[in-house]
């Protein structure tokens, strides 16, 4: 698939991954959508705030879909930089003053992983970590999910029901990267964050938090690219 994508880029003009109007990876207007002031949302489901740099829009949705499903790796850096800003704001919200920071990407469905050959949320998190090396972010891709319907187009209650009890932990990564509950790794001070591309009602991140709590990991916040209007309210914007 990568070879075909490469040949396609030689012969087809590149269009903006957000709006499709210009012969650039992302036009100025779409880049501007990724540069908003981070805001925190109190989600409808779950107990942790979720921070994002943009409101959900057609253009942001197209960017993410083009990145994860259409091989548009040329927009990895702008997406990851936006996510890094959300992460930085989430750490501010959690009053992070030092120590390790662990990022737990939301899982993709098994069929999506087979189709894409990777987890797009983990790829975004890893690149975001590289873009802010001073934060020493560690990406732990330990969450897995059983087959369930896509969340797109579902209402708030349907979203929560769709992902309920759908996630579980990869035992191999759990033992090697996190350590067993009560072990030395767990006792280190720091902040844990959940990572996703979008959050509308917070249902997916709430399910991630539930699974991680079973091994005594309690994320302080979520960090995403885009926030939908399914939360209870927005809190004051950040200045980062």
């Amino acid at each position: 698939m990568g070879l075909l994508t490469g040949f396609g880029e030689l012969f087809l003009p590149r269009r903006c991954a957000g709006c499709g109007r210009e012969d650039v990876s992302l036009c100025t207007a779409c880049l501007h959508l990724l540069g908003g002031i981070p805001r925190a949302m109190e989600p409808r489901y779950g107990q942790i705030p979720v921070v994002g740099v943009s409101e959900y829009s057609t253009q942001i949705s197209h960017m993410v879909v083009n990145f994860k499903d259409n091989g548009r790796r040329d927009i990895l850096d702008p997406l990851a930089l936006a996510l890094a800003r959300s992460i930085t704001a989430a750490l501010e919200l959690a009053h992070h003053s030092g120590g390790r920071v662990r990022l737990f990407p939301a899982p993709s469905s098994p069929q999506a992983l087979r189709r894409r050959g990777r987890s797009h949320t983990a790829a975004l998190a890893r690149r975001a970590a590289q873009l802010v090396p001073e934060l020493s972010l560690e990406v732990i891709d330990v969450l897995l999910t059983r087959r369930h319907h896509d969340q797109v187009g579902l209402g708030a209650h349907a979203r929560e029901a769709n992902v309920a009890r759908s996630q579980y932990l990869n035992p191999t990564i759990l033992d090697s990267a996190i350590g067993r509950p009560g072990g030395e790794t767990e006792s280190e001070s720091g902040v844990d964050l959940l990572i996703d591309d979008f959050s509308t009602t917070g249902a997916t991140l709430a399910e991630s938090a539930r699974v991680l709590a079973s091994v005594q990991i309690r994320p302080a916040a979520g960090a995403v690219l885009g926030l939908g209007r399914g939360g209870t309210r927005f809190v004051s914007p950040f200045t980062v």
Side-chain angles (χ1 to χ4, degrees):
M1 184 175 178
L3 184 61
L4 292 175
T5 301
F7 277 121
E9 290 177 353
L10 290 175
F11 299 107
L12 297 176
R14 171 154 293 169
R15 310 298 292 177
C16 171
C19 65
R21 287 197 294 262
E22 296 186 24
D23 295 337
V24 292
S25 293
L26 285 174
C27 69
T28 302
C30 287
L31 277 172
H32 182 73
L33 294 176
L34 294 173
I37 296 175
R39 294 200 295 172
M41 177 182 74
E42 291 184 353
R44 183 182 300 268
Y45 299 108
Q47 302 298 316
I48 65 172
V50 182
V51 179
V53 294
S54 66
E55 288 192 28
Y56 181 88
S57 67
T58 300
Q59 293 94 328
I60 296 288
S61 177
H62 285 170
M63 292 179 211
V64 172
V65 170
N66 276 317
F67 170 70
K68 67 183 183 181
D69 288 328
N70 298 329
R72 290 295 301 270
R73 300 192 180 189
D74 53 306
I75 63 170
L76 171 59
D77 276 8
L79 291 179
L81 182 59
L83 180 60
R85 295 178 60 241
S86 291
I87 291 168
T88 300
L91 291 174
E92 178 185 331
L93 188 67
H95 305 292
H96 175 63
S97 59
R100 59 109 178 98
V101 179
R102 300 186 298 190
L103 309 180
F104 294 88
S108 299
S109 67
Q111 58 268 38
L113 285 175
R114 287 192 296 269
R115 185 174 69 250
R116 300 168 187 154
R118 60 173 180 162
S119 164
H120 75 284
T121 51
L124 284 170
R126 291 189 181 102
R127 184 56 182 151
Q130 292 172 348
L131 292 174
V132 283
E134 66 276 9
L135 294 179
S136 299
L137 305 175
E138 179 184 5
V139 179
I140 302 180
D141 191 16
V142 70
L143 291 164
L144 299 173
T145 186
R146 301 174 181 87
R147 185 186 183 101
H148 60 81
H149 298 294
D150 197 294
Q151 295 280 72
V152 176
L154 298 180
H157 295 298
R159 284 172 178 267
E160 194 275 336
N162 186 44
V163 300
R165 302 284 170 178
S166 65
Q167 297 182 26
Y168 60 102
L169 297 166
N170 184 324
T172 302
I173 296 178
L174 180 67
D175 290 343
S176 62
I178 298 177
R180 296 184 180 278
E184 180 180 351
T185 304
E186 183 198 359
S187 65
E188 294 176 2
S189 63
V191 172
D192 297 323
L193 301 177
L194 298 174
I195 303 297
D196 206 351
D197 47 17
F198 297 115
S199 183
T200 302
T201 64
T204 298
L205 295 182
E207 172 64 4
S208 297
R210 181 193 68 80
V211 172
L212 290 170
S214 69
V215 289
Q216 311 306 314
I217 297 170
R218 293 178 174 81
V224 301
L225 293 172
L227 294 170
R229 295 184 177 273
T232 58
R233 70 185 182 98
F234 287 103
V235 297
S236 299
F238 297 89
T239 57
V240 295

